[in-house]
């Protein structure tokens, strides 16, 4: 493999190196107000401070808080801010993790190991996960050997069905999951009811507030009515909240909260049976950068409660305008009742992927999403402070581009069959994946402007085939 970026003799021209690096980032998605996915941005003043704090935290290592006392202080401060924010009772504790996925995996590990301790008769544990809950729960089930039972959602509200949860619970159930809110639709599951049921069943309940846990309480302080979703619900035993989303801090920081320290003992991992230093790790990581924690610590202080409240207000107003505006557009529909700036927009017949292409051509960045279960193919929109001011413009373009959409249709059958076969055979099927991707306009890892054909194909194949095709695609990107 050619490796010309790594020279035999190093260069001392730092400026040139940094210039080249900046060049690499030139095509990356940025926050100019046109991105309605991926970006959570509170503006350059906050980002400038975050960058400096990130650099300041860079040399520490959270692996050993006795050697780096700052690790303990930063984490305790962030965790207690989150505990206070989410109504945690006396005795509740938490941990800083690297992101939502890690928090989620650890919430499942906690449930698994707590059941091993307190319910040894359970040998094949399962967990009940709404089909709208983040995929990281399915990843956790896969990694940790916990059986996954998907729970239905109501096709109108997109909220987890309590009756389906009741009917799927059995003697081996160790965990129920709910979202506050779900990423795709921005709706909050019936957490009060699920909490009551979890409590009477003696099962743990994790509320995934990765995306909403930071902003929802500020919305409530602003007078927005919200259902109960946090530790105020007695049956809730753990919660996850990502600061690197609506806390507007750099990537690499989420917080996992546990109702009791006894629960958290099942989250920790310790090992004294090797010849190196004895390990006690609260998370999956060993060496743990303090940079994301330091940046979060700085950003929370800079914005303060009032700063976040004001940003929450800006976003909620933009969200209401967007939702009601879309509902007035012929042929478009918002699924369920979004409780914050996350929504799924679908059509009443027109091709959603064609609409996504038209929005891209008009300069917007949106997230086309495939159908699964009761959720149809849709365009996901995320509102943040950086794009709130452009909601009016986006509505105008949505109105214009939703006109004369072709009818939505599946990819041609022979194509679907071919892709299913390729997925089955994997890299041994003899198909040159790189060539195939080039045929569809994917070159040098870059997607073409027009993606409707690709999305229609992926939306038409089975989820199993889609999973395998994505693996082949990613492998090709990194070869
Ligand atoms: C983003 C998200 C996650 C996963 O978080 P990462 O930080 O991307 O690992 C989990 N749950 C919800 C609801 C999310 O929005």
């Amino acid at each position: 493999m050619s490796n010309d970026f790594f020279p035999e003799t190093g260069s001392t021209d730092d400026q040139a190196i940094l210039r080249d690096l900046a060049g690499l980032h030139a095509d990356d998605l940025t926050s100019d107000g046109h991105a309605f996915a991926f970006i959570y941005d509170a503006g350059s003043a906050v980002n400038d401070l975050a960058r400096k704090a990130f650099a300041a935290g860079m040399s520490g290592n959270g692996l050993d808080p006795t050697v780096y006392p700052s690790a303990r202080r930063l984490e305790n401060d962030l965790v207690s801010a989150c505990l206070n924010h989410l109504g945690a009772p006396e005795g509740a504790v938490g941990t800083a993790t690297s992101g939502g996925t890690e928090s989620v995996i650890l919430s499942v590990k906690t449930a698994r190991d707590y059941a091993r301790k307190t319910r040894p008769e359970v040998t094949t544990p399962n967990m009940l996960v709404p089909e709208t809950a983040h995929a990281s729960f399915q990843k956790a089930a896969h990694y940790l050997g916990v059986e996954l039972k998907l729970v239905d959602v109501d096709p109108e509200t997109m909220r987890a069905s309590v009756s389906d949860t009741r009917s799927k619970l059995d003697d081996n159930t160790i965990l129920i999951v709910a979202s506050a809110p779900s990423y795709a639709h921005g709706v909050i599951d019936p957490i009060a009811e699920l909490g009551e049921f979890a409590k009477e069943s003696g099962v743990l309940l994790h509320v995934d507030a990765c995306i909403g846990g930071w902003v929802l309480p500020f919305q409530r302080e602003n007078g927005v009515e919200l259902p109960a979703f946090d530790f105020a619900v007695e049956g809730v035993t753990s919660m996850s909240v990502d600061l690197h989303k609506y806390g507007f801090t750099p990537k690499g920081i989420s917080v996992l909260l546990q109702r009791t320290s006894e629960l958290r003992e099942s989250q920790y991992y310790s090992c004294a049976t090797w010849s190196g230093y004895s390990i006690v790790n609260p998370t999956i990581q060993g060496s743990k950068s303090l940079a994301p924690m330091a940046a979060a610590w700085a950003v929370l202080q800079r914005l303060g409660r009032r700063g976040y409240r004001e940003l929450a207000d800006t976003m909620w107003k933009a969200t209401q305008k967007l939702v009601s505006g879309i509902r007035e557009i012929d042929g478009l529909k918002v699924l369920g009742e979004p409780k914050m700036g996350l929504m799924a927009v679908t059509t009443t017949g027109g091709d959603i992927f064609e609409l996504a292409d038209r929005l891209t051509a008009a300069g917007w960045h949106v997230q086309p999403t495939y159908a699964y279960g009761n959720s149809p193919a849709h365009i996901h929109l995320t509102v943040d402070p950086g794009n709130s001011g452009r909601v009016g413009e986006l509505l105008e373009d949505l109105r214009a581009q939703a006109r004369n959409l072709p009818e939505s249709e599946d990819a041609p059958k022979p194509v679907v069959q071919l892709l299913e076969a390729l997925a089955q055979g994997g890299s041994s099927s003899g198909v040159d994946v790189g060539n195939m991707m080039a045929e569809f306009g994917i070159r040098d890892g870059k997607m073409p402007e027009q993606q409707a054909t690709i999305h229609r194909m992926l939306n038409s194949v089975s989820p199993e085939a889609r999973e395998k095709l994505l693996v082949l695609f990613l492998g090709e990107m990194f070869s």
Side-chain angles (χ1 to χ4, degrees):
M1 187 193 251
S2 78
N3 206 344
D4 44 0
F5 105 91
F6 183 38
E8 174 63 25
T9 306
S11 155
T12 52
D13 190 348
D14 293 0
Q15 291 311 316
I17 294 172
L18 290 172
R19 238 186 348 265
D20 287 353
L21 191 58
L24 294 186
H25 289 298
D27 289 341
D28 290 354
L29 184 65
T30 53
S31 171
D32 65 352
H34 289 89
F36 275 78
F38 269 112
I39 289 181
Y40 311 89
D41 189 72
S44 55
V46 168
N47 294 338
D48 287 346
L49 172 69
R51 201 169 286 117
K52 288 176 190 147
F54 198 92
M58 198 183 71
S59 50
N61 187 349
L63 179 63
D64 189 343
T66 66
V67 180
Y68 296 97
S70 63
R72 175 164 173 260
R73 175 67 199 278
L74 290 170
E75 178 153 341
N76 277 338
D77 283 352
L78 292 173
V79 166
S80 64
C82 292
L83 288 169
N84 288 334
H85 201 46
L86 293 166
E90 197 63 33
V93 292
T95 304
T97 74
S98 64
T101 299
E102 192 179 22
S103 291
V104 163
I105 292 174
L106 288 169
S107 75
V108 176
K109 182 209 181 281
T110 303
R112 188 196 65 176
D113 289 5
Y114 187 69
R116 281 180 181 169
K117 189 168 88 175
T118 58
R119 297 167 64 191
E121 68 282 6
V122 176
T123 51
T124 50
N126 69 58
M127 61 179 185
L128 308 182
V129 178
E131 65 183 36
T132 47
H134 195 270
S136 51
F137 288 98
Q138 305 199 29
K139 186 176 182 178
H142 180 76
Y143 280 4
L144 296 169
V146 174
E147 188 200 338
L148 178 84
K149 288 191 172 184
L150 282 183
V151 168
D152 296 342
V153 300
D154 181 286
E156 280 307 311
T157 65
M158 303 310 293
R159 299 167 81 214
S161 158
V162 177
S163 61
D164 197 46
T165 308
R166 284 183 173 277
S167 71
K168 283 182 175 148
L169 182 122
D170 63 26
D171 291 345
N172 294 319
T173 303
I174 59 164
L175 179 67
I176 297 174
V177 168
S179 308
S182 61
Y183 171 82
H185 310 96
V187 306
I188 301 178
D189 286 329
I191 290 166
E193 288 102 308
L194 290 172
E196 210 166 301
F197 177 58
K199 196 154 187 252
E200 81 194 32
S201 312
V203 171
L204 302 184
L205 171 62
H206 180 78
V207 171
D208 179 11
C210 277
I211 194 122
W214 194 250
V215 75
L216 287 175
F218 292 119
Q219 282 188 195
R220 186 181 269 155
E221 287 169 23
N222 286 335
V224 179
E225 272 210 34
L226 292 169
F229 66 89
D230 62 13
F231 283 107
V233 176
E234 265 188 57
V236 173
T237 51
S238 58
M239 293 188 76
S240 44
V241 50
D242 291 355
L243 296 175
H244 69 197
K245 286 177 183 156
Y246 283 102
F248 311 115
T249 81
K251 294 290 170 284
I253 177 79
S254 167
V255 173
L256 173 60
L257 306 173
Q258 305 275 9
R259 185 175 279 274
T260 66
S261 52
E262 192 201 355
L263 281 169
R264 193 177 58 176
E265 284 166 24
S266 291
Q267 172 200 319
Y268 282 6
Y269 174 79
S270 67
C271 176
T273 52
W274 79 307
S275 43
Y277 52 88
S278 286
I279 272 181
V280 53
N281 289 159
T283 68
I284 300 172
Q285 296 177 87
S287 291
K288 182 174 177 180
S289 173
L290 299 186
M293 270 198 270
W297 194 84
V299 170
L300 261 59
Q301 287 192 63
R302 188 181 201 286
L303 284 168
R305 299 194 62 87
R306 184 186 303 165
Y308 279 110
R309 245 190 329 265
E310 286 167 5
L311 292 171
D313 187 52
T314 303
M315 292 188 291
W316 181 238
K317 285 182 175 138
T319 302
Q320 287 175 297
K321 179 172 168 179
L322 192 53
V323 170
S324 59
I326 291 171
R327 286 192 166 142
E328 281 165 16
I329 298 174
D330 247 10
L332 295 190
K333 201 171 129 179
V334 176
L335 297 171
E337 281 303 329
K339 295 294 185 200
M340 56 179 280
L342 303 152
M343 69 195 74
V345 182
T346 184
T347 61
T348 52
D351 190 316
I352 192 77
F353 301 122
E354 170 66 22
L355 177 61
D357 270 358
R358 292 182 184 180
L359 291 172
T360 305
W364 302 100
H365 180 84
V366 298
Q367 196 169 39
T369 304
Y370 308 129
Y372 184 75
N374 276 335
S375 183
H378 61 265
I379 289 173
H380 171 84
L381 300 176
T382 295
V383 174
D384 85 329
N387 64 28
S388 288
R390 293 197 186 260
V391 156
E393 272 172 69
L394 176 63
L395 275 172
E396 271 174 44
D397 275 340
L398 276 166
R399 197 170 295 117
Q401 305 301 342
R403 278 191 212 118
N404 306 321
L405 278 177
E407 281 295 298
S408 116
E409 56 182 343
D410 282 345
K413 221 174 185 158
V415 175
V416 172
Q417 281 165 349
L418 190 84
L419 289 171
E420 295 275 349
L422 168 62
Q424 283 263 316
S427 47
S428 61
S429 63
V431 175
D432 184 326
V433 179
N435 265 344
M436 200 180 83
M437 281 165 56
E439 285 292 322
F440 290 116
I442 309 170
R443 291 191 188 84
D444 282 337
K446 262 206 194 137
M447 296 290 286
E449 272 273 299
Q450 306 264 313
Q451 301 176 5
T453 310
I454 296 171
H455 290 313
R456 216 171 285 130
M457 286 188 315
L458 288 171
N459 189 55
S460 300
V461 299
S462 64
E464 295 75 26
R466 190 149 75 222
E467 287 167 359
K468 291 190 178 130
L469 291 169
L470 290 173
V471 168
L472 293 177
F473 169 83
L474 196 70
E476 191 59 34
M477 291 270 288
F478 289 98
S479 62

